[in-house]
Amino acid sequence: MDAIIDGVQVMSFTPQDFRQTLGRFASGVTVVTSLETPAKFHGITVNSFTSVSLDPPLVLICIDKKAEAHRILPQSGIFCVNILSELQQSISDRFAGRMPGLNKVFEDIPHHFEATGAPVFDDTLGFVDCRIVNSVDAGDHTIFIGQVERLGWQKQEMGPLLYFKSNYGEIK
């Protein structure tokens, strides 16, 4: 049932309605990496990523409180956002837990390390390597704000990996 609260019409809807509506917003796809221990890497596919500030350079990611990354990020205090290209759907699937046997495995993905020590994938469109400077409770997610310590991008032109209506897409 709809209601009017403080002069604003508020419509009722289900979580599925919310998901379906927001699924109409195309977003890029990233894999956020961090360190569980100095020798154990962790990664999670994330599309809730955006810039926050140019001065200082800040970005944010939103992580579900049920995700393993939600426990790891505050402990490590760091993360790297790897921006995926249209050729990297399998990497997105892997870190989203859709590839049994390969889920979250780093060994066959060429990577290196920058300022924080979080894994940086070599062949992505770009990366931002960050130190967590704040976190904000936001319902069933936490917003992690990171100050960018180092960044980089590919010189060759590739299209981004996009997500739209619960499917991958591309720019045509």
Side-chain angles (χ1 to χ4, degrees):
M1 175 164 174
D2 296 349
I4 296 181
I5 300 174
D6 294 329
V8 176
Q9 183 174 2
V10 179
M11 299 175 64
S12 60
F13 51 84
T14 67
Q16 185 62 22
D17 294 335
F18 186 67
R19 179 179 287 258
Q20 289 291 321
T21 299
L22 295 185
R24 266 66 180 168
F25 180 72
S27 65
V29 182
T30 71
V31 170
V32 172
T33 57
S34 192
L35 300 175
E36 187 167 0
T37 67
K40 186 174 180 186
F41 308 147
H42 182 76
I44 183 172
T45 299
V46 171
N47 69 345
S48 295
F49 158 68
T50 192
S51 62
V52 175
S53 168
L54 287 174
D55 188 17
L58 301 174
V59 298
L60 69 77
I61 56 173
C62 299
I63 304 294
D64 189 312
K65 290 179 179 175
K66 292 179 273 184
E68 187 178 9
H70 191 269
R71 173 185 60 80
I72 293 168
L73 288 170
Q75 290 176 359
S76 71
I78 61 170
F79 64 85
C80 181
V81 179
N82 294 274
I83 303 166
L84 301 185
S85 81
E86 62 194 352
L87 304 175
Q88 295 177 309
Q89 180 178 331
S90 64
I91 293 175
S92 172
D93 286 341
R94 177 183 297 197
F95 289 94
R98 295 187 194 124
M99 296 184 73
L102 282 179
N103 286 341
K104 306 189 188 268
V105 174
F106 283 77
E107 286 77 16
D108 63 331
I109 299 172
H111 61 276
H112 65 281
F113 306 96
E114 294 285 340
T116 70
V120 177
F121 296 157
D122 291 348
D123 298 324
T124 59
L125 291 178
F127 73 90
V128 288
D129 192 21
C130 305
R131 294 201 184 280
I132 296 172
V133 295
N134 200 355
S135 62
V136 179
D137 182 59
D140 59 1
H141 282 62
T142 297
I143 300 167
F144 291 97
I145 300 171
Q147 181 161 331
V148 179
E149 300 288 324
R150 192 148 311 140
L151 52 77
W153 62 93
Q154 285 287 339
K155 305 302 184 240
Q156 67 183 40
E157 289 299 318
M158 293 183 283
L161 183 60
L162 298 177
Y163 203 65
F164 178 70
K165 292 173 57 178
S166 300
N167 290 295
Y168 294 106
E170 59 186 59
I171 296 174
K172 295 181 182 182

